[in-house]
């Protein structure tokens, strides 16, 4: 009898496209993000909603982790433009939010 093989699938985004997060971090100050895309979810496959630049004031809400990887994304509001979205933490000079979103 043949045993079916388990199919390997890539780690899914912790924040699917369109998912938002409440402001759990409650901190806001100048952060450096030199041309970082703000996306609708924590994946480069999600729509770009805006771009965060190093002259912008960013209000971090919380972060999430992608599957079992070390990749994290921060949900933030760009106070300069009013746009909210997810930014990959390695694109933020301080590494992003320290408050976990819970998903």
């Amino acid at each position: 009898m043949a045993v079916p093989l388990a199919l390997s699938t890539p780690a899914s985004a912790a924040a699917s496209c369109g998912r938002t997060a409440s402001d759990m971090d409650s901190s806001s100050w100048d952060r450096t993000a030199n041309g970082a895309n703000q996306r609708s979810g924590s994946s480069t496959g999600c729509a770009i909603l805006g771009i965060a630049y190093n002259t912008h004031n960013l209000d971090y809400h919380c972060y999430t982790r992608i599957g079992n990887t070390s990749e994290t994304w921060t949900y933030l509001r760009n106070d300069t433009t009013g746009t909210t979205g997810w930014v990959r933490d390695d694109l933020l000079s301080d590494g992003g939010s320290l408050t976990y979103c819970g998903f």
Side-chain angles (χ1 to χ4, degrees), residues 12-97:
S12 61
S16 57
C17 299
R19 184 161 191 179
T20 62
S22 60
D23 191 354
M24 300 165 68
D25 190 309
S26 71
S27 61
S28 180
W29 56 84
D30 292 331
R31 301 332 200 298
T32 300
N34 197 13
N37 290 325
Q38 290 180 256
R39 296 185 176 271
S40 66
S42 60
S43 168
T44 56
C46 294
I48 297 171
L49 305 174
I51 301 175
Y53 290 102
N54 60 3
T55 57
H56 293 174
N57 190 43
L58 306 177
D59 178 9
Y60 292 173
H61 290 197
C62 59
Y63 80 92
T64 192
R65 182 173 308 282
I66 305 302
N68 292 327
T69 71
S70 61
E71 183 179 333
T72 57
W73 291 64
T74 290
Y75 187 75
L76 57 85
R77 182 182 66 247
N78 184 327
D79 287 340
T80 304
T81 66
T83 303
T84 57
W86 294 92
V87 175
R88 206 174 68 224
D89 286 343
D90 63 344
L91 300 176
L92 299 168
S93 64
D94 60 0
S97 177

